[in-house]
Structure formats: structure tokens, C-alpha cells
Amino acid sequence: MNRMNKQDQLNIIKEDFINCQKVLLAIGDETRQSILLVLMGTDCQSGLRVGEITGQTHLSRPAVSHHLKILRDAGIILMRKEGTKNFYYINVRTKLGLLKTLVTDIEELMEKFY
């Protein structure tokens, strides 16, 4: 049986933090949270266009585009092209799972050593 010591567990958590940095930065912003809520709240299965997101968030088009890029870079949302139109939607195999791993590893450490 693999008995991990506290330092091994801390090293795993350190890796988790590194893996989560982009996601944490992306979802830590209130504006991006509101965009994510719009994308999660839509019944449209094909995704939303910048104009539709702009209409629901009261942000400018450039602001929405900027925040969508950050969310895309973090692997939280995806974009689908249809001709000249871009549709944005939540990535179902999102990097948000990394956050679950981080929290689980921290909980294990706390249970084991505190």
C-alpha cells in the first residue's frame, strides 16, 4: 500500500495549483462569471454569438470578445465556426475538473494530517 507522507501530498497539491492557474484566473473574474452564467443558462444547444452574449451581459462587444478569449484559452469554453459566424459554448470536458482534483487532494491532506 502506498503510504504518502505529508510532503508527498503537498507536492501533489502544488502540482494541482499549477494545473489550475489558468482556470482559477479565468473564473475568478466577475465579468467572466456573468458570461459563463449566460452560456450555462441558454437553451440554445449550438452556442451563442458575441452579440447575444453582449445583449444579456450589458458589456461592450470588445469586452465580451476579450473575456471569451480568456475563457477559451483556459479550456472552459469552445468556439464553433459557421461561415463567418462564431458560436461560443461551455466545453463539457472542461478544465474545471482540475478544480475538483485540487479540492479533493486538499481535503485528503486535511483528513490525514490535521
Side-chain angles (χ1 to χ4, degrees):
M1 186 175 131
N2 181 8
R3 292 288 300 148
M4 270 200 289
N5 66 29
K6 194 175 190 177
Q7 194 53 53
D8 292 337
Q9 194 84 26
L10 287 170
N11 287 338
I12 288 171
I13 292 168
K14 184 178 175 182
E15 280 295 304
D16 291 342
F17 275 130
I18 292 165
N19 292 335
C20 286
Q21 274 174 347
K22 266 189 157 176
V23 173
L24 288 168
L25 280 169
I27 66 170
D29 182 270
E30 231 175 289
T31 302
R32 291 190 283 278
Q33 290 167 10
S34 68
I35 291 171
L36 284 172
L37 287 167
V38 166
L39 290 173
M40 287 186 243
T42 183
D43 291 331
C44 183
Q45 295 302 301
S46 58
L48 294 175
R49 296 181 55 208
V50 172
E52 296 168 306
I53 297 166
T54 301
Q56 291 188 55
T57 56
H58 312 295
L59 296 163
S60 69
R61 287 180 79 93
V64 169
S65 294
H66 166 75
H67 289 295
L68 287 171
K69 183 186 181 331
I70 293 168
L71 290 167
R72 274 182 70 196
D73 289 347
I76 297 168
I77 65 170
L78 295 172
M79 183 190 80
R80 179 178 56 79
K81 273 192 174 302
E82 213 175 89
T84 58
K85 298 173 182 163
N86 295 337
F87 293 87
Y88 296 89
Y89 58 98
I90 299 284
N91 179 3
V92 290
R93 281 178 281 290
T94 180
K95 297 277 197 273
L96 290 171
L98 295 170
L99 297 178
K100 197 187 280 183
T101 303
L102 171 66
V103 171
T104 302
D105 289 342
I106 291 172
E107 285 174 340
E108 277 178 28
L109 174 93
M110 300 310 283
E111 283 170 21
K112 206 182 282 183
F113 299 104
Y114 295 97

